[in-house]
Amino acid sequence: MAYQHRYLEGDPLDLPVGKVVCIGRNYLDHIRELNNAVPETPILFMKPATALLGLDEPIRLPVGQGECHHEVELAVLVGRALRDADAATAQNAVVGYGIALDLTLRDLQNELKKKGHPWETAKAFDGSCPLSPFVKPGALADPQATDLTLRINGEPRQQGNTRLMMIGIFELVAYISTHFTLQPGDVVLTGTPAGVGPLQSGDQLVLGLADREFVARVA
Ligand code: ZN
């Protein structure tokens, strides 16, 4: 079934499905686990609308391309156009929060990085952004102090809190809008905490956003 944005609460959400803008390194613990340098300016990349997949659809791992890593991330749904916005304007334009996986073909990404090439084929493939339904802004106590968790087959794999971001949610959305106009229906992924690792066929995933849990599975 084609992906559509929707609210967890069931209310209609009439927004087109747009692009996904992501930040490469926004949690210190994750930067350290991959032996990356702390960036001086945010590393941005995009996934097209074809990357989006509801969490109720099976996750399909690309075949023959090495390890496909999970990166659990807070997702932000943009409801109004933003260009050169400040953080307060960015905050007002957010109409929902969700939890997403920034699926990454890590072996391929490492090869591309070594060659100094762009990462798109490792990050922006079809279905590379499984995404939960959104909770309304008022329904999340404090988006900037929210637990993010990922359990796989019952084992805790990623555990973080959005207060550990180096660039806060709304500063990040504002910064993105100085490079790319954000349109209603676009999604921003805010970076992953430590604990990334490869997914396997048949894995059962539970993604936690504060006290809400979302189930997914790998085909
Ligand atoms: Zn990521």
Side-chain angles (χ1 to χ4, degrees):
M1 215 177 67
Y3 173 85
Q4 288 295 323
H5 295 314
R6 60 194 177 90
Y7 277 128
L8 186 60
E9 295 89 346
D11 309 59
L13 184 44
D14 189 18
L15 284 176
V17 178
K19 62 186 175 288
V20 183
V21 186
C22 312
I23 179 166
R25 299 170 195 167
N26 203 21
Y27 288 82
L28 212 48
D29 56 350
H30 171 60
I31 292 172
R32 291 194 177 126
E33 76 176 344
L34 292 187
N35 290 318
N36 281 322
V38 176
E40 283 168 32
T41 51
I43 299 169
L44 302 181
F45 60 95
M46 284 194 236
K47 296 178 189 251
T50 44
L52 287 164
L53 180 78
L55 283 182
D56 49 353
E57 300 278 330
I59 294 168
R60 297 188 188 282
L61 303 177
V63 176
Q65 305 211 55
E67 289 191 350
C68 182
H69 277 201
H70 53 80
E71 296 190 356
V72 75
E73 311 200 4
L74 178 78
V76 170
L77 180 61
V78 175
R80 279 195 291 280
L82 291 172
R83 187 177 182 185
D84 291 329
D86 59 21
T89 308
Q91 183 164 8
N92 282 325
V94 171
V95 294
Y97 295 97
I99 189 163
L101 291 172
D102 166 18
L103 295 183
T104 304
L105 292 167
R106 191 70 70 201
D107 295 332
L108 179 58
Q109 186 196 27
N110 286 340
E111 245 174 73
L112 293 167
K113 275 159 109 176
K114 238 183 274 167
K115 292 179 186 161
H117 290 175
W119 302 344
E120 269 90 342
T121 52
K123 283 279 198 184
F125 56 90
D126 287 0
S128 60
C129 189
L131 176 57
S132 73
F134 290 95
V135 297
K136 292 182 180 176
L140 205 58
D142 181 354
Q144 201 66 78
T146 295
D147 283 327
L148 290 181
T149 59
L150 175 65
R151 295 202 309 274
I152 302 183
N153 305 323
E155 300 277 323
R157 292 286 188 89
Q158 291 194 260
Q159 260 171 324
N161 188 289
T162 57
R163 89 173 90 80
L164 302 174
M165 288 181 189
M166 295 189 294
I167 301 168
I169 300 163
F170 309 116
E171 287 154 58
L172 172 62
V173 173
Y175 177 76
I176 288 169
S177 82
T178 67
H179 287 279
F180 317 117
T181 298
L182 288 167
Q183 305 267 36
D186 285 352
V187 171
V188 170
L189 298 194
T190 54
T192 192
V196 302
L199 289 172
Q200 310 289 347
S201 181
D203 278 348
Q204 302 287 328
L205 281 60
V206 180
L207 291 76
L209 176 67
D211 55 355
R212 293 167 181 83
E213 292 196 331
F214 302 90
V215 175
R217 75 178 176 86
V218 181

